[in-house]
Amino acid sequence: MAAGTDETAPGYEQARDELIEVVRRLEAGGTTLEESLALWERGEELAKVCRHWLEGARARLDAALAGPDGGSDGAEAGQGT
């Protein structure tokens, strides 16, 4: 997360669950245009939070897979040997 927003930004699971609820409410209809726009904007914010968490997780996985030598040449996938 960006500096200063860590305390207010939800975790991945919380953001995902709230995003699911936002989508359900939008799909159900019955909201005013203003309510729908507010829900859409909140959904965009939540999607950005989820994307940030997933990108961070991907970076951590990539770093772990690279190992201490700084890279993976695919030997683990059966190449080489």
Side-chain angles (χ1 to χ4, degrees), residues 1-10 52:
M1 297 289 151
T5 60
D6 287 341
E7 299 121 24
T8 58
H52 176 81

Side-chain angles (χ1 to χ4, degrees), residues 1-76:
M1 297 289 151
T5 60
D6 287 341
E7 299 121 24
T8 58
Y12 173 77
E13 289 82 4
Q14 182 182 354
R16 181 201 60 213
D17 292 346
E18 187 178 343
L19 180 56
I20 290 168
E21 183 57 30
V22 165
V23 170
R24 283 188 187 138
R25 289 181 62 191
L26 285 169
E27 288 177 341
T31 58
T32 66
L33 177 59
E34 191 62 34
E35 291 169 333
S36 294
L37 288 173
L39 285 168
W40 181 271
E41 290 169 347
R42 181 62 180 156
E44 289 289 332
E45 292 170 10
L46 292 165
K48 187 184 296 185
V49 169
C50 290
R51 191 167 34 254
H52 176 81
W53 279 102
L54 291 172
E55 288 169 354
R58 169 52 68 189
R60 289 176 61 191
L61 285 171
D62 289 344
L65 291 173
D69 63 351
S72 173
D73 60 3
E76 301 88 277

